[in-house]
Amino acid sequence: MFRMFRKFDNIRIFGIWLNKMRKTERLGVWIADNPMVIIAAAAVITILAFHYAQEIEMQGMATESFVGKDSPLYQIYDHLFVERFGFESIVVVIEGDDVARRDVLEAELRLSDGMMGAPGVLATNGIADIVAEAAEARDGKRAIPDQESIDAILASIDPIMIESIMPDRRHTMFAVEMPMYLSDDEMREIMIETEGQMMLAKFPPDVGLVVTGSPALSNSIMEEMTKSNGPLLMLAGVLMVFALLLVFRHVRWPLLPIPIVFLGIIWTFGAMGFLHIPMTMVSMSAFPVLIGIGIDYAIQFHNRIDEEFGKAGSPVKAVISTVNNTAIPVMIALSITAAGFVSLLTSSVPMTRDFGLICLIGLFMCYLSALFVGITVLAAVEARNGRKRGEVDGASKESFVGSYLEGMAEFCINRWKVVLSLAFILALAGNYADSQVAINTDFKTYIPQDMPPLVHFWHMSEIFGGSDEINLIVQADDVTDPQTVKWMDRFGSYLLGSRDQVYAVSSIATLMKQATGGEIPTTRTEIRDSFEGIPPQLVSKNVDGHDTAIISLNIGEAVRDLGEEGIDRLLKEVEKDIAWFPPPPGVSVRESGDLVVMTTVIGALTTGRTEMTLLGLVLIFAILLIIYRDMIKALLPVLPMLVVIGWMGGVMYLGNIQYTPLTATLGALILGVGSEYSILMMERFYEELAKVGEPREALKTAVNRIGSALIASGMTTVFGFAALISSPFLITSNFGTVTVLAVIFALLTTFTVFAVLMLRLEIRRKAFKDLKHRVFNSQRRTTH
C-alpha cells in the first residue's frame, strides 16, 4: 500500500513538473511572438526609472542610519534628547594674528546678525556676540566697541566661559546652532546660507575662514560619495568588458550582457526612488555587487540561446528552448542567492537592511532584464544575421581549464582526509579569529583621511578639543529643586575626579555657579531667578521646562581614542557611578545621546552578524530541501560555505580589516554567491552519475565539463566586485577586497572541499543502499 501511494506521489510531482515546463514553454512562445511589446515595455520602465531615481534621498551618516527608529533606546533618544536638547552646529573656524581685533569682531557680528535671520537657526555663538552683549549692557547699544573696551570686556569674563570658543587670540570659532531634527537638505541649506553670509560679512583679508562641524562634514561626504559612485559603476563596466572578452568570446555579441545588466541596475535605481529607499554609504556598494552577480544571469541566458541558435535552426525555436530549459534553473540560483540577502533584512542596522533590500530588488530586476530584453535582442539580431544549422561558435568540448580543474579535484580526492582536515581546521581557527576582529562605527574613519573637510574637522578638534559627549537625562517633578541641582553639581565633580575620560561637565548647576560666583542658590525661587542672568540659549540647552534637565559629559574624541568597545565600557562605568552616587528620591537619570544609541550597533555587528549568517544557512538549506527533497543534496552546498565563512574570518583578522555595517553583510553574501557554484557543480555531477553510474567517474567528467563555465562566471563576478577596491572610501574598498577573496575562496572550495564531500557522501549513500539491498535479499531468502 505504501509503495502504491509513493508511486502516486511521484506521478503527482512529475505532473506538477510537466505543468511548470509547459508554463515556461508558453512564456518562451510569448517572448518570441512579442518582441516589440517587450522592447516598448522596457523603454517605458526605463523612462519611469529615470523619473523615480530623481526622488532618491541621499542620507548622511546620521544616527538613524545605524539604529532602528523603533528600538526603545532610540525612542528615549528621540523624544527626550533630540526634541528637547539636541542641536547640531555648523562651525566657522576663524584664524589670524588677533581674532579679537575690532575689525574681525565687527565682521563676525555681521555674520551673526545675518545668520539669526535664517530659517531653522536656533542661535549663534561667538566672541563677537559676547562682546556686543556686554557692550549693550554697559552702553545700551549692541555693537562692537573700541579695542580698549574689547580687551577690558574679555579680561572681565571668566576664562572658563570663553576658552571653549577662543582658546587664544589666534583662534576662535563661530557656531551656528540648529535643531537635530532638521533633515539633511535643511541643514545643507543653512550651510549654504552660512557660506553666503561669510562673503557678505567682509572679513579682513588676513583672516582665515573654514566651515566645518559634523553637518558640514556629513554633507561633504555625501557629495564625495555621489561623485565616486559613477566612476565605480564605469570601472565595473570596463572590468566586465575585459572579463567577457577573456572568457566569453566563443559566443556572438559577447559584450551584450553588460548593457543588459546595466539596464537592470537602472530599473533598480527607479525602484529605490519609488519605494523611498535612501542612498547611504553602505547601499551605494550594492550596485557593483549587483553588476557582479546580475551579469551571471545575462551570461547564462546568452550562452544557452547561442547554443540553441546553432541547433534549432530557427530563432523562435531557440528562444522557446532557452526559456524552457534555463528560466527555472536560473530562478533557482536567484532564489538561493536571495536567501542569503533575505537574512540581512533581520539586521537592527537600517543601512544594512537597506543594502539587503536593494540587493534583493536588483537581483530580480537583472533577472527580468536578462530573460526578456536580453533574449529578445539576441533573437532579433539572429533573425537579421542568421547562421547555418549546426554552426556553433568556437566552444571546444574540452578546455585546458577543465583539464586542470579535473586534475586538482583528482589530487584532492586521493588525499581527501588531509584536504577535509586542513579545510575544517583552518575554518575553526578563522571562526575563533573572527571573534577578535575589531568593530568600527565611526564614519569619519570610513572616508579618505586626506579629504579636505575631514582635515578641517580634525584641525578644529586639535584647537578646540573634541566634542563627543555622553548625555544624562535628569527627570523629576521639579529639576530646579536645590537638592537636585546640588546633586548634579556633586555628581559632575565626582566624574571629573574619578574618570580620566571625562574632560568637562556642563549642566544647570555649572551655569548657576558661573552666574552667581560659584554658589548654588538654596531655594527654588532663587534658582529660577538666577536664570535671568544667564543667556536664554544656554538655559534652553540644559533645562526644558521644570521637569527635565541634561548633564553633558565631554569625553573629547572618544570615538577615535577609545573605540566602540571602550565607549561601551565607559558607559557601563557611568551607569555604575549613578547607582553608587544616586540622585535624590523621585529623580531619574538615564544615559542618552548619539554615543549611547550607537552602542547598539556593536551588538548588531557581533551577535547580530552571526544570527544573520545562521538564518541565511537555514533559509538556503530549507529551499534546497524543498527543491530536491533529498537531505544530502540540500546539505552539500551549505557545508563548503561554512568553510569559506571561517576562512574569511581569518583573513579579516590577519588583514586587520574591521567590521562595519558593510563588511557585516559578508556572511550572507558568501552564502548567496558561493552556494550557486556548488549547486551548478552538484547538478552536473548527478547528471553525469545518472549516465555512468560510478561516482568517481561522474565527478571527473562533471568537473572537466562545467569547470570552465564556473571559472568564467566566477571571474565576471570577481571583476564586478573588484571595482569596489578602487573606491576612495575605506569602508567600500575593504568590502571589495574581502568580497573578491570570498568569491575566489568559494570557487576554490567548489573544486576541492565540495568535490571531496560530494564524492564521499555519495559513496557512503551507494554503500548504504547496497547494504540495505543485501539485507533485504537475505531476509527474503530466509523467509522463503
Side-chain angles (χ1 to χ4, degrees):
M1 183 66 69
F2 174 79
R3 291 180 182 174
M4 183 177 70
F5 281 116
R6 182 66 180 268
K7 182 178 180 181
F8 287 152
D9 187 55
N10 289 338
I11 292 173
R12 180 181 62 82
I13 295 170
F14 184 67
I16 293 172
W17 176 250
L18 283 179
N19 187 47
K20 289 181 179 177
M21 294 296 286
R22 293 191 193 102
K23 287 180 180 178
T24 55
E25 189 171 342
R26 288 199 296 269
L27 178 62
V29 172
W30 187 87
I31 292 175
D33 290 344
N34 296 276
M36 295 307 297
V37 172
I38 292 172
I39 296 301
V44 171
I45 294 172
T46 304
I47 293 171
L48 289 173
F50 275 112
H51 168 72
Y52 282 109
Q54 307 302 315
E55 300 182 12
I56 296 176
E57 177 190 357
M58 298 297 294
Q59 191 175 86
M61 306 305 290
T63 303
E64 51 266 29
S65 299
F66 289 86
V67 185
K69 293 184 177 181
D70 55 347
S71 66
L73 193 60
Y74 185 87
Q75 293 297 315
I76 294 173
Y77 164 82
D78 189 38
H79 296 305
L80 294 182
F81 177 69
V82 173
E83 291 183 3
R84 300 190 181 207
F85 304 106
F87 68 92
E88 292 277 13
S89 296
I90 294 173
V91 177
V92 180
V93 177
I94 305 171
E95 299 179 279
D97 293 334
D98 186 0
V99 294
R101 207 171 62 211
R102 186 170 187 266
D103 57 342
V104 177
L105 294 183
E106 286 177 335
E108 185 180 335
L109 187 62
R110 287 193 291 269
L111 173 59
S112 176
D113 292 340
M115 289 309 302
M116 280 306 298
V121 174
L122 292 175
T124 59
N125 186 20
I127 289 295
D129 290 303
I130 294 174
V131 171
E133 287 166 5
E136 184 180 20
R138 187 188 64 183
D139 305 327
K141 182 181 179 182
R142 188 176 185 273
I144 302 298
D146 57 66
Q147 190 64 52
E148 184 178 348
S149 299
I150 292 172
D151 295 337
I153 291 171
L154 293 177
S156 66
I157 300 174
D158 186 347
I160 297 177
M161 294 187 65
I162 64 171
E163 66 180 6
S164 61
I165 59 174
M166 192 179 76
D168 55 59
R169 297 287 287 242
R170 297 177 60 86
H171 305 89
T172 188
M173 70 157 66
F174 171 79
V176 179
E177 297 172 358
M178 51 195 174
M180 288 182 68
Y181 54 75
L182 293 183
S183 67
D184 289 339
D185 288 337
E186 289 172 323
M187 289 189 181
R188 192 176 299 112
E189 288 297 322
I190 295 176
M191 192 181 73
I192 293 172
E193 179 67 19
T194 302
E195 293 172 342
Q197 291 294 335
M198 283 169 52
M199 300 294 292
L200 296 175
K202 298 181 180 179
F203 279 86
D206 61 337
V207 173
L209 303 172
V210 172
V211 178
T212 184
S214 294
L217 179 60
S218 179
N219 180 65
S220 299
I221 290 172
M222 294 309 299
E223 289 180 352
E224 186 66 26
M225 286 168 59
T226 305
K227 291 178 183 177
S228 66
N229 199 36
L232 274 182
L233 294 178
M234 290 180 62
L235 179 60
V238 171
L239 292 175
M240 285 292 140
V241 169
F242 178 74
L244 290 174
L245 291 178
L246 186 66
V247 300
F248 201 53
R249 57 187 176 186
H250 63 278
V251 301
R252 289 185 175 183
W253 306 95
L255 299 183
L256 183 62
I258 293 176
I260 295 300
V261 75
F262 271 96
L263 182 63
I265 297 297
I266 292 171
W267 293 354
T268 305
F269 273 112
M272 284 182 66
F274 181 75
L275 298 174
H276 304 290
I277 302 173
M279 183 73 77
T280 66
M281 185 181 291
V282 171
S283 60
M284 277 187 176
S285 301
F287 294 100
V289 169
L290 288 173
I291 291 173
I293 299 175
I295 200 168
D296 191 35
Y297 305 149
I299 288 173
Q300 294 295 334
F301 284 112
H302 192 146
N303 190 62
R304 184 59 184 248
I305 199 171
D306 189 80
E307 179 183 336
E308 295 296 336
F309 283 147
K311 294 191 300 184
S314 162
V316 172
K317 291 181 180 179
V319 169
I320 295 171
S321 179
T322 297
V323 175
N324 194 31
N325 292 291
T326 311
I328 294 292
V330 175
M331 176 58 77
I332 291 173
L334 185 152
S335 301
I336 300 304
T337 303
F341 290 122
V342 163
S343 64
L344 298 179
L345 302 182
T346 65
S347 173
S348 62
V349 181
M351 63 171 63
T352 301
R353 292 200 300 268
D354 290 340
F355 177 84
L357 183 57
I358 292 170
C359 287
L360 287 172
I361 294 172
L363 290 176
F364 187 64
M365 293 299 177
C366 290
Y367 177 82
L368 293 179
S369 174
L371 174 61
F372 290 98
V373 180
I375 288 179
T376 299
V377 170
L378 283 168
V381 172
E382 187 67 20
R384 180 182 294 270
N385 298 328
R387 75 179 80 180
K388 295 179 181 179
R389 184 182 178 90
E391 177 188 348
V392 181
D393 290 333
S396 60
K397 293 183 179 179
E398 192 169 299
S399 67
F400 167 76
V401 174
S403 300
Y404 177 80
L405 293 174
E406 180 185 342
M408 178 192 295
E410 184 73 16
F411 178 87
C412 294
I413 290 167
N414 292 333
R415 298 161 180 81
W416 67 273
K417 292 182 180 178
V418 176
V419 170
L420 292 183
S421 298
L422 185 61
F424 285 108
I425 288 172
L426 289 176
L428 289 173
N431 278 316
Y432 173 76
D434 182 74
S435 64
Q436 310 300 312
V437 175
I439 298 167
N440 184 6
T441 58
D442 181 9
F443 75 91
K444 293 189 289 294
T445 63
Y446 298 167
I447 63 180
Q449 296 302 293
D450 59 351
M451 186 174 167
L454 182 61
V455 173
H456 297 156
F457 185 88
W458 291 134
H459 180 60
M460 177 191 70
S461 299
E462 289 172 359
I463 296 172
F464 302 100
S467 57
D468 292 337
E469 286 186 342
I470 296 174
N471 304 108
L472 306 178
I473 303 296
V474 181
Q475 287 188 297
D477 291 336
D478 188 355
V479 292
T480 62
D481 181 273
Q483 294 301 318
T484 303
V485 177
K486 288 178 180 177
W487 176 83
M488 292 185 201
D489 180 49
R490 291 195 301 271
F491 184 66
S493 300
Y494 167 76
L495 290 177
L496 284 172
S498 61
R499 299 292 170 202
D500 294 337
Q501 301 90 344
V502 178
Y503 300 112
V505 177
S506 64
S507 66
I508 55 173
T510 58
L511 287 179
M512 288 179 189
K513 291 176 72 174
Q514 292 171 0
T516 61
E519 296 294 330
I520 293 178
T522 57
T523 67
R524 296 180 186 183
T525 302
E526 291 176 345
I527 287 175
R528 293 175 183 177
D529 289 343
S530 67
F531 288 165
E532 300 297 327
I534 304 173
Q537 63 267 29
L538 291 180
V539 175
S540 63
K541 288 181 184 178
N542 291 275
V543 63
D544 183 65
H546 294 300
D547 62 348
T548 308
I550 188 171
I551 303 174
S552 300
L553 311 179
N554 183 288
I555 53 176
E557 288 293 338
V559 176
R560 179 185 64 183
D561 300 335
L562 301 180
E564 281 72 15
E565 291 88 348
I567 293 174
D568 191 41
R569 287 193 297 270
L570 178 59
L571 289 171
K572 291 175 180 176
E573 291 300 317
V574 172
E575 282 184 354
K576 293 178 182 178
D577 291 334
I578 295 171
W580 187 83
F581 202 115
V587 179
S588 68
V589 181
R590 285 182 283 189
E591 293 178 330
S592 190
D594 289 336
L595 292 183
V596 176
V597 178
M598 289 291 287
T599 56
T600 60
V601 181
I602 297 175
L605 300 185
T606 51
T607 56
R609 184 182 76 246
T610 305
E611 290 168 359
M612 285 191 298
T613 303
L614 291 175
L615 177 60
L617 285 167
V618 171
L619 288 173
I620 290 174
F621 175 76
I623 292 173
L624 291 175
L625 191 60
I626 292 171
I627 292 172
Y628 293 116
R629 304 168 69 89
D630 185 308
M631 186 66 72
I632 291 179
K633 288 184 178 181
L635 188 61
L636 269 174
V638 173
L639 293 177
M641 296 307 98
L642 289 173
V643 172
V644 175
I645 290 170
W647 290 359
M648 287 309 303
V651 167
M652 292 193 66
Y653 177 77
L654 294 175
N656 196 29
I657 300 173
Q658 298 173 323
Y659 273 116
T660 65
L662 189 51
T663 50
T665 66
L666 184 61
L669 192 62
I670 290 171
L671 293 174
V673 178
S675 57
E676 180 182 350
Y677 305 135
S678 299
I679 290 168
L680 293 173
M681 171 67 80
M682 184 175 68
E683 285 281 352
R684 191 56 183 259
F685 168 73
Y686 282 106
E687 179 184 336
E688 298 299 331
L689 183 63
K691 295 177 182 177
V692 301
E694 206 287 310
R696 188 156 185 156
E697 281 301 314
L699 180 64
K700 290 170 62 177
T701 304
V703 171
N704 189 294
R705 293 184 179 176
I706 201 173
S708 297
L710 289 181
I711 292 296
S713 176
M715 282 189 65
T716 55
T717 304
V718 165
F719 277 47
F721 288 150
L724 296 174
I725 300 176
S726 67
S727 172
F729 291 88
L730 185 64
I731 182 176
T732 306
S733 178
N734 283 346
F735 177 70
T737 300
V738 296
T739 305
V740 165
L741 289 174
V743 174
I744 292 173
F745 285 164
L747 282 171
L748 179 63
T749 56
T750 299
F751 299 107
T752 55
V753 176
F754 178 72
V756 169
L757 284 171
M758 187 164 57
L759 180 64
R760 299 309 305 176
L761 288 175
E762 195 54 43
I763 289 175
R764 286 294 182 91
R765 172 150 59 183
K766 189 173 182 298
F768 179 75
K769 285 183 178 179
D770 291 342
L771 177 61
K772 187 177 179 181
H773 182 69
R774 287 197 300 270
V775 170
F776 175 77
N777 288 337
S778 176
Q779 290 176 345
R780 189 176 181 182
R781 285 194 300 270
T782 303
T783 302
H784 288 288

